Amino acid sequence: MATSTEVGKKAPSGGKRFIGGVVEGFYGRPWTMDQRTELFKREQKWGLNTYLYAPKDDYKHRMYWRDLYSVEEAEQLVALISAAQQHNIDFVYAISPGLDITFSNCKEVAALKRKLDQVRDFGCNSFSLLFDDIETEMCPADKQAFSSFAHAQVAITNEVFQHLGEPNTFLFCPTDYCAAFCTPNVSQSSYLHTVGDELLPGIDVLWTGPKVVSHKISVESIEEVSSILKRAPVIWDNIHANDYDPQRIFMGPYKDRPTELIPRLRGVLTNPNCEYYPNFVAIHTLATWCKASADGATKDVEMEQDPCYSPHKALMLALTDWLEEFLSTDQPTACVKKDSSDEEPMQTDLGEHSYVPGPGENPLYTAEPLTLDDLKLLSDLFYLPYEYGRTAKTMLHELNWLKSHSHAVAVKSDQTAEWCSRAQQFDDMCEAVVRMFNRLSNAPNRSILYDLYNYICDIKSGVNLAQAYVKSLGGLGKPSAQLMSADPEPWGFRGGLSGEFQRMLPGHGNRDLYKHPPKTSVYCIRPYCAEDKMDVQRIFIKMQQERQIEEASMTEPPLISDILSTGEIPPSPQCALVLEDDIGPCGYMLALTDAKAAAASIQKDTSGRVLEDFPSLITGQVLLRVTDPSPVKGMIGQLLSSIRSCGSRGVFCMLRHSDRRMLDFYTKSSSFQPIKMGGLPPDVIAMGTSL
């Protein structure tokens, strides 16, 4: 791919350039200094401009953030920052003090400033404060000094930003860094509102999208969060991250982010796979995406014939370039260094053999060269977190069909010829995977191979088992001992202890293209009776203890929903349900069809207008052992139907912010939305739905 101009000369906010690049922000072994230096060269060549240094396993970035760098460490960072600057890459140093910082302690703030001053002396001009993946409970000292966790974070961030002279690039990562973390939602998150209102305008905010690993990021979702943050966010994109699953790696293109996002963003940073070399596709395709303008046009001369960003075309451009690197034996970072054991050897001694086999002897093994089709297949097999590539989907579809129609080869029928033809096609696809494995294994650049080897070895083994199984179905081979044996070799089963745990959980296989779910618990939803009162109380108290709700917050003032759960007031007739599993009662849903009287005696400040629109109350809890949302959704649906039949026009519920589980059930399984209701404690939210 031809070298092109730097992406995003200007961003929509403040005339600053669009941030495009890479964040090294994963959990696991950090990249080496040589790999980072090579990354800077690639970024410059492909038109990216930023590198965010945030490896979670750099102790002095996160766990020991107060400690200054040693002389040896300082020399490495100085060299790294200098290398970035030589390639016109903005080196952003990130520090993550949130694990144990006391925000109200001036000595802690001074330690943070001292650490960043040291890095500034190294030549770094761009910084980031990260408060991701930390506990949200403040210590007693901070509770006295700050009204909320967000206020504490914003105060220290603003102070550090000003101490550093308000650098041109200063990034803030909130604790609620995706929509899924916002309570109750993005638009009504008090945390995000505080960040938007109080964070100084020169500070940019990192955001991962709807989820930690977002399948899609829409224009509407970015416009929503931008309006709350009062600035365009920088996307920290985890679409290619694999630090959460050591069995997966992602080599599909950057996709499901429309180019219309570009003028609505401050920038995009990809947080890719832990393994450095397989990130070629992730970074290359992001660079192509970044160079697309808002109307889909691109500044890349190689894309002029097609003005739209095409993930497939971007992928093929990346794979074409990557093939050259696979076949190269003279790359600077791949050469053998006599004084370094970290460098991988290159296969450079591929000369002609002196041995010539005689008549009737085995011919010499000849390694076939890696092809572009091999890399396309590799990408298809290891595509993206929510999606298989085309070939992978086809193989799964064909195996499922062949297995479901195996009767066609047991007794000849109209489908027998079709089955045999499709079995042969499946066998050809399996052979292509084996050829790809062999060619990759013999590619000259061993550094790339070693990052990939565990993954391609695993997929080859799985494909071989499937291939043998289909052959045995068609009578073309003996039944595989690995498939039929009650005591197979270790390579005949997958997952280890972690895999066994997952297969026992209700959610296992939810993302599988062809679901073969394990046995799940059988739940019974039945009407509530007087004898259930003690069980309902027990479940209610148990869930309060699980969330560590103090008794004082339960009584000052009391909630109608709490009193209904404790049995002080009874539910309305035909408006109470109990959930049972094979152990016993594990959940309940109760309702008052007319909550006005209870509200008048308990929540005296409750708005009368709210009760006109939502006269009925619903409340419920389920024990933690209920992991399947379906029975909860069923109880809510049944209860709403009963309340509607009583003539009610609307239902409301009261929940504490700490009850994220029930909040999720109401918002994701039903149509409840936040409503304004007076007289509620600050940790309580009211939600309602019209009937």
Side-chain angles (χ1 to χ4, degrees), residues 310-549:
S310 164
H312 174 72
K313 291 184 177 180
L315 174 64
M316 296 311 296
L317 284 172
L319 294 178
T320 300
D321 284 358
W322 202 20
L323 180 62
E324 294 182 11
E325 185 169 303
F326 260 107
L327 301 178
S328 173
T329 60
D330 58 357
Q331 294 196 36
T333 59
C335 296
V336 178
K337 292 184 178 180
K338 294 180 180 179
D339 58 348
S340 173
S341 60
D342 292 335
E343 298 297 332
E344 309 294 357
M346 301 297 297
Q347 298 296 93
T348 57
D349 55 342
L350 303 179
E352 295 183 359
H353 293 276
S354 57
Y355 173 75
V356 177
E361 296 181 344
N362 283 327
L364 290 176
Y365 177 81
T366 303
E368 296 180 348
L370 191 67
T371 68
L372 185 60
D373 285 341
D374 292 324
L375 293 189
K376 179 62 172 64
L377 176 57
L378 178 69
S379 174
D380 275 357
L381 299 179
F382 301 97
Y383 203 64
L384 291 170
Y386 297 95
E387 182 180 1
Y388 295 119
R390 182 180 301 175
T391 303
K393 286 188 284 190
T394 300
M395 293 183 75
L396 285 171
H397 175 76
E398 290 302 299
L399 178 58
N400 186 67
W401 188 91
L402 291 166
K403 181 180 176 182
S404 302
H405 294 79
S406 58
H407 56 82
V409 289
V411 178
K412 285 193 175 183
S413 66
D414 294 341
Q415 283 190 329
T416 302
E418 180 185 4
W419 195 97
C420 293
S421 174
R422 293 176 73 161
Q424 183 58 55
Q425 292 173 13
F426 181 78
D427 190 75
D428 292 343
M429 288 187 283
C430 293
E431 286 299 320
V433 173
V434 175
R435 284 196 302 273
M436 176 204 70
F437 172 84
N438 291 334
R439 291 168 178 171
L440 281 170
S441 299
N442 289 291
N445 194 323
R446 313 307 284 174
S447 298
I448 307 176
L449 171 67
Y450 296 151
D451 272 357
L452 290 171
Y453 190 79
N454 287 343
Y455 300 103
I456 61 175
C457 185
D458 182 71
I459 193 63
K460 187 196 76 160
S461 178
V463 164
N464 281 341
L465 288 172
Q467 185 180 26
Y469 174 65
V470 170
K471 286 183 176 181
S472 67
L473 288 178
L476 301 177
K478 295 180 180 180
S480 171
Q482 289 302 309
L483 295 169
M484 304 302 176
S485 173
D487 184 25
E489 293 279 4
W491 58 82
F493 51 90
R494 285 291 178 267
L497 181 60
S498 176
E500 187 126 349
F501 279 138
Q502 292 177 35
R503 287 190 291 275
M504 294 174 69
L505 303 178
H508 176 72
N510 282 354
R511 286 284 177 183
D512 288 355
L513 190 60
Y514 295 95
K515 295 180 174 59
H516 303 282
K519 294 180 180 179
T520 57
S521 298
V522 176
Y523 296 98
C524 172
I525 299 174
R526 61 169 177 79
Y528 170 92
C529 60
E531 290 75 18
D532 293 317
K533 182 177 178 179
M534 295 298 293
D535 284 326
V536 168
Q537 290 178 351
R538 176 182 56 80
I539 294 170
F540 173 75
I541 294 170
K542 175 68 174 175
M543 294 312 298
Q544 303 304 313
Q545 293 171 344
E546 290 288 348
R547 301 197 312 277
Q548 298 180 338
I549 302 296

Side-chain angles (χ1 to χ4, degrees), residues 65 97 101-113 116 129 131 146 149-163 170 172 199 203:
W65 60 269
I101 189 171
T102 300
F103 293 92
S104 56
N105 188 329
C106 59
K107 292 182 179 179
E108 293 277 78
V109 179
L112 182 58
K113 292 177 180 177
L116 294 177
L129 273 183
F131 294 104
F146 300 103
F149 198 40
H151 282 95
Q153 293 178 356
V154 168
I156 198 171
T157 301
N158 286 342
E159 185 174 345
V160 169
F161 175 63
Q162 292 176 323
H163 170 78
F170 193 95
F172 167 80
L199 198 66
I203 302 173

